[in-house]
Amino acid sequence: MSSGVVEGGGRTPSHLLYSVAVEYYLQAATQAEIATRLGTSRATVSRMLAEARRRGIVHIDVRPPSAGADADLSEAVADALGLVEVHLYPDVPADAASGVLSSALSGPLTAALATADLGVGDVLLVSSGKMAYAASRAELPALPGVLVVPTVGGQLEPEPWYQTNEIVRAFAAGVRGSPAFLYAPALPGEALHAGLLDDPGMRRVADAWEVARAAVLGVGAPPAQRVSLPRFVPAQSAALDRAVGDLCSRFYDREGRPVDFPGSERLIATPLGVLRRIPVTIAVASGPEKVVSLLAAARAGYFNRLVTDVTTAAMLVAAAS
């Protein structure tokens, strides 16, 4: 089926340039998504967007940054939580189209990753979760030669944000790095767990955790407030009653102390203590249900940078005071 895109030296119709510009600039569709719909290449879509600007269909207003309210709020959150820096993005409606959150995360996450100064051979850890999944689909900075490593084993849930290896694959593609995969369940049985400890592939990932230079981490809300939990987590366990959040499926209480649950000694995931030793740890999280989770994890030193929205940032300052 013809897409109506004129290749080569032909002139693309103005109405098609307008349609592509609306999708990209106003509806937050990626160039890859537009290319798939049109049955053409991403490079062609990029040329169409450039042509839309040349013809005056698109006008881009670039303004210098100001030390306004958002900058003051970022500093206030960093001071309140003891963080190195905080990067904010505008609030995204819960019913926004797919890709809007990813687009909103692009700038702040790029700025946060820049502080890690990652080079060839450096290890970047990436967790699972809705925010990590959205981050993997954002426009990310080029980090050629960086090894992107998962922080937790595989999970049975069908939702894409639980598929750690796929999140790592997408993130690595976005930064032009190399993915490392973890072919192990998040919570194996006792017999399998014993064997995994000696598996060369498992050892390579665990060794990478220890030398990571940076990490991008989703932060889980208190279990009692979650719509869903991974199936391996015993949601009815009284042990989780005092948990206020989790990182890499490792739960913690209001003081940041680890909260164990039945079987958690077999969990295949980056330990909380290891997160404390990573130079640049970037939490990506938002929502009122995450406020207590973020406060506890920040004060415990599990992350030192934060990417969040404006409303959550204001709530964090209020809660911290």
Side-chain angles (χ1 to χ4, degrees), residues 210-303:
E210 295 289 346
V211 299
R213 178 164 180 79
V216 175
L217 307 166
V219 180
Q225 298 182 34
R226 298 271 285 271
V227 175
S228 66
L229 283 168
R231 296 181 193 179
F232 66 82
V233 177
Q236 305 306 317
S237 173
L240 292 178
D241 288 348
R242 60 187 181 89
V244 300
D246 77 277
L247 288 157
C248 314
S249 294
R250 293 193 181 273
F251 293 87
Y252 52 85
D253 65 14
R254 287 182 178 272
E255 305 303 321
R257 294 171 299 206
V259 173
D260 296 326
F261 57 82
S264 61
E265 71 279 1
R266 303 192 307 275
L267 190 64
I268 302 297
T270 309
L272 293 174
V274 171
L275 296 180
R276 282 196 177 112
R277 300 196 294 268
I278 298 173
V280 176
T281 41
I282 305 165
V284 184
S286 64
E289 73 281 2
K290 301 285 184 74
V291 169
V292 65
S293 315
L294 288 166
L295 282 172
R299 289 169 171 169
Y302 296 146
F303 65 87

Side-chain angles (χ1 to χ4, degrees), residues 103-301:
S103 296
L105 288 174
S106 295
L109 184 53
T110 294
L113 283 168
T115 66
D117 194 25
L118 295 169
V120 176
D122 285 335
V123 173
L124 168 63
L125 306 186
V126 176
S127 75
S128 59
K130 289 185 179 180
M131 295 297 284
Y133 174 73
S136 74
R137 301 175 69 234
E139 295 287 339
L140 298 168
L143 303 171
V146 167
L147 182 65
V148 183
V149 177
T151 64
V152 63
Q155 300 166 51
L156 296 175
E157 281 67 26
E159 292 85 0
W161 49 85
Y162 283 120
Q163 309 311 314
T164 313
N165 281 344
E166 291 308 309
I167 292 172
V168 164
R169 186 192 302 277
F171 208 103
V175 301
R176 303 178 195 172
S178 300
F181 300 122
L182 182 52
Y183 296 108
L187 193 67
E190 293 183 8
L192 178 57
H193 180 259
L196 285 172
L197 295 179
D198 295 324
D199 178 75
M202 175 64 223
R203 289 309 322 160
R204 281 193 294 271
V205 170
D207 290 345
W209 292 343
E210 295 289 346
V211 299
R213 178 164 180 79
V216 175
L217 307 166
V219 180
Q225 298 182 34
R226 298 271 285 271
V227 175
S228 66
L229 283 168
R231 296 181 193 179
F232 66 82
V233 177
Q236 305 306 317
S237 173
L240 292 178
D241 288 348
R242 60 187 181 89
V244 300
D246 77 277
L247 288 157
C248 314
S249 294
R250 293 193 181 273
F251 293 87
Y252 52 85
D253 65 14
R254 287 182 178 272
E255 305 303 321
R257 294 171 299 206
V259 173
D260 296 326
F261 57 82
S264 61
E265 71 279 1
R266 303 192 307 275
L267 190 64
I268 302 297
T270 309
L272 293 174
V274 171
L275 296 180
R276 282 196 177 112
R277 300 196 294 268
I278 298 173
V280 176
T281 41
I282 305 165
V284 184
S286 64
E289 73 281 2
K290 301 285 184 74
V291 169
V292 65
S293 315
L294 288 166
L295 282 172
R299 289 169 171 169

